[in-house]
Amino acid sequence: MPIFSTYDGTELAYHLHGEGEPLICLPGGPMRAARYFGDLGGLSRVRQLVLLDLRGTGDSAAPEDTASYRIDRLVEDVEALRAHLGLEKADLLGHSASGELAALYAATYPQRLRSLTLVTPATGILGLPATDQDRRDAAALRVHEPWYPEAAAALAHIQAGHATPEDWAGIRPLTYGRWDAEAQAHAADSPGQKNALAASLYYPENGLDTAPALAALRELCAPVLVLAGEYDGGPTPDRAAELAALFPYAEFAVQRGASHFPWIDDPGAFVRTVTAFLDAEVSSVQAGGIRLAYRTWGDPSAPPVVLAHGRCGSSLDWTDIAEKLAARHRVYALDFRGHGLSDWPGRYSFEFFRDDLHAFLEARNLSGATVIGHSMGGAAALLLAERDPALIGSLVIEDAPALLPLDPPRPPAERPPGELGFDWQVVPSIDAQLNAPDPAARENLGEITAPALVVGGTRSHIDQEQLAWMARQIPGGRFAAVDAGHLVHSENPEAFLAALRSFGIG
């Protein structure tokens, strides 16, 4: 357990989890020991978590001057930790009450901040206090939970000014998306992890003049992520969205099914969202209510090419091809829903993937772009080109199923063991459609107006005669066979690129 001395000589402790670029994490409570973070749902697999025990909490020493528990005074402890770690600029994460602390640090030391992640942050001193109505509205979303009547009664008692320890315990289920054994154990640890005296002094009795800080935050150049929980009452998603609007370079995300501790409620969703934000090579857009992650290459002013991956893949599948195409194009590769770092909502179909592609093109103002889709991504691109012919400038379909009924049909698939880079539910959902596809998909091929190239792999499991037939049904279609299996662009990239060049791409 490392220890350092802060500005007034108080010795503070921090805990390290994982390897990689450091991410300084400030615990909420207020004034709760950092161990409640755990490994933040597995975020330690991609970043080294530096979990600070604020003064007087956890393994950190209590200060001689209790006035230094004030939130604005704690800013200097964060700066002392950054200097101790030798970081020129810090990636900073603040949860709950420390969301405000992290924001004050950003306002005070903007030149020392690389990125700011605010997880279900408190918003009161930033001019957006959570109201009693906010908390009642959030609680009402849980009306069908078996514990709701007791929690609602406890919340009413607290808001009437008659709170008892039993009332505070009674509302704990509202702060978790799932009130299961893990959440109950996590909540039970809370009282023993908090410094009650420090918590009572965290917010000054007479308030803070935060006008200068708010003005500084409106000028903040660092990227900011504000992550809200769907069921959280402090802040609600609406209040968190107002907070995000304060920053000039902010992303806003709502984790579905989560409340105040999103890494407990759905670790995978939490890690994907935060990882996508912290990775400088990944961007995200909200498209049709789904957060879609994507990567880019090339000059932003060059003609755009959009790459759509196959089932169980991700944008990373296109890296080598994208780097080649980037010599003359602005290249975008997205992660479809249920894949990579995008949201995994649990419901999937070719039509949903079509809608993802459509929403992505619109969100990035890419109407008329060249779209290259592999397998499932190719099927999604075909469906989009049929429905919205003017949206796609030119179309490349790489070894995609012709959406003719499979004979014999695919049997039920068995999930492989271990962690997957995609939502397993994608597989049975798409297998069901492959076995009995909507006939309109092949009947409407003649509606496609974009010039189209269908690329097949001569050693693929996909029937190449069906692909050639597909190309003939498209008015501007042509077919090219490449010596490869199903993964044409990775198994024989030079031949794949040559096919693209013959089509005018490259």
Side-chain angles (χ1 to χ4, degrees):
M1 176 190 62
I3 293 176
F4 68 102
S5 292
T6 187
Y7 68 94
D8 63 353
T10 304
E11 292 192 334
L12 303 183
Y14 60 95
H15 308 267
L16 300 176
H17 291 280
E19 298 180 352
E21 285 287 318
L23 173 65
I24 296 175
C25 302
L26 308 180
M31 305 306 285
R32 182 174 178 180
R35 63 180 177 271
Y36 81 92
F37 276 139
D39 69 349
L40 280 176
L43 189 61
S44 61
R45 291 195 294 272
V46 294
R47 297 298 292 263
Q48 182 182 62
L49 307 182
V50 182
L51 310 181
L52 176 64
D53 280 336
L54 299 173
R55 55 178 56 213
T57 70
D59 295 310
S60 288
E64 293 183 3
D65 178 10
T66 57
S68 66
Y69 285 134
R70 279 177 40 150
I71 182 174
D72 53 332
R73 299 274 295 274
L74 294 174
V75 166
E76 298 307 320
D77 290 343
V78 181
E79 172 59 9
L81 175 57
R82 180 208 61 79
H84 166 75
L85 295 172
L87 300 175
E88 182 179 351
K89 292 192 173 186
D91 292 312
L92 185 62
L93 180 150
H95 171 242
S96 190
S98 275
E100 294 168 315
L101 172 57
L104 289 182
Y105 178 87
T108 307
Y109 292 101
Q111 75 280 9
R112 295 300 189 185
L113 188 71
R114 185 163 63 177
S115 70
L116 180 62
T117 302
L118 303 177
V119 179
T120 58
T123 55
I125 68 169
L126 301 176
L128 300 165
T131 67
D132 285 351
Q133 189 62 50
D134 285 345
R135 299 187 188 281
R136 288 194 294 270
D137 289 346
L141 298 175
R142 320 299 293 281
V143 67
H144 299 297
E145 300 281 3
W147 43 259
Y148 173 77
E150 291 79 9
L155 179 63
H157 208 212
I158 290 169
Q159 292 186 341
H162 307 301
T164 66
E166 291 74 22
D167 290 327
W168 289 111
I171 65 169
R172 286 179 188 164
L174 295 170
T175 61
Y176 294 86
R178 295 175 291 105
W179 188 236
D180 56 12
E182 182 181 8
Q184 291 172 37
H186 190 263
D189 287 339
S190 177
Q193 293 171 347
K194 289 182 66 173
N195 181 330
L197 171 63
S200 70
L201 300 172
Y202 186 78
Y203 295 111
E205 185 176 350
N206 296 322
L208 286 173
D209 178 11
T210 56
L214 291 172
L217 294 178
R218 292 188 177 98
E219 302 293 327
L220 188 66
C221 293
V224 178
L225 170 66
V226 178
L227 175 60
E230 179 184 9
Y231 298 139
D232 198 5
T236 61
D238 285 348
R239 198 71 62 206
E242 291 180 57
L243 175 62
L246 289 176
F247 302 97
Y249 302 104
E251 293 182 23
F252 171 64
V254 177
Q255 185 169 315
R256 303 300 175 191
S259 186
H260 201 59
F261 302 92
W263 66 93
I264 299 292
D265 296 326
D266 187 341
F270 175 81
V271 170
R272 287 189 294 275
T273 300
V274 177
T275 298
F277 170 71
L278 292 174
D279 189 332
E281 297 182 352
V282 177
S283 301
S284 295
V285 293
Q286 291 289 332
I290 300 293
R291 184 187 56 81
L292 298 177
Y294 66 97
R295 301 171 190 271
T296 55
W297 297 260
D299 184 343
S301 65
V305 171
V306 177
L307 305 176
H309 65 79
R311 186 172 73 170
C312 309
S314 77
S315 55
L316 289 172
D317 296 348
W318 290 106
T319 301
D320 291 343
I321 295 297
E323 289 174 348
K324 299 288 196 310
L325 292 176
R328 297 186 179 180
H329 298 274
R330 175 63 164 180
V331 182
Y332 301 79
L334 77 154
D335 290 344
F336 282 111
R337 69 178 68 197
H339 296 78
L341 296 177
S342 290
D343 284 346
W344 295 13
R347 297 178 61 239
Y348 307 101
S349 68
F350 285 121
E351 290 76 18
F352 280 139
F353 297 129
R354 172 201 65 196
D355 294 345
D356 286 347
L357 183 57
H358 188 175
F360 178 77
L361 292 173
E362 290 196 334
R364 300 306 305 147
N365 194 27
L366 295 173
S367 178
T370 294
V371 175
I372 302 174
H374 172 242
S375 193
M376 179 194 79
L382 275 173
L383 293 178
L384 180 57
E386 291 176 350
R387 190 183 67 178
D388 297 278
L391 192 59
I392 295 175
S394 59
L395 182 65
V396 178
I397 304 301
E398 178 197 346
D399 218 57
L403 298 182
L404 294 163
L406 293 182
D407 184 20
R410 287 186 180 176
E414 183 175 341
R415 188 192 189 282
E419 189 172 345
L420 303 175
F422 60 93
D423 188 348
W424 173 250
Q425 186 55 43
V426 170
V427 174
S429 298
I430 295 304
D431 277 354
Q433 284 195 287
L434 290 172
N435 287 338
D438 183 349
R442 55 186 181 273
E443 292 170 357
N444 292 333
L445 289 170
E447 300 298 319
I448 297 174
T449 59
L453 172 66
V454 179
V455 179
T458 58
R459 293 178 276 107
S460 171
H461 67 279
I462 300 290
D463 188 322
Q464 299 298 292
E465 289 299 322
Q466 291 184 1
L467 291 184
W469 171 86
M470 179 195 299
R472 292 193 298 271
Q473 307 313 302
I474 300 172
R478 68 173 79 167
F479 176 67
V482 172
D483 179 22
H486 182 54
L487 299 171
V488 181
H489 69 269
S490 60
E491 293 180 27
N492 196 342
E494 292 307 318
F496 180 74
L497 289 167
L500 295 185
R501 286 193 295 271
S502 71
F503 189 59
I505 302 170

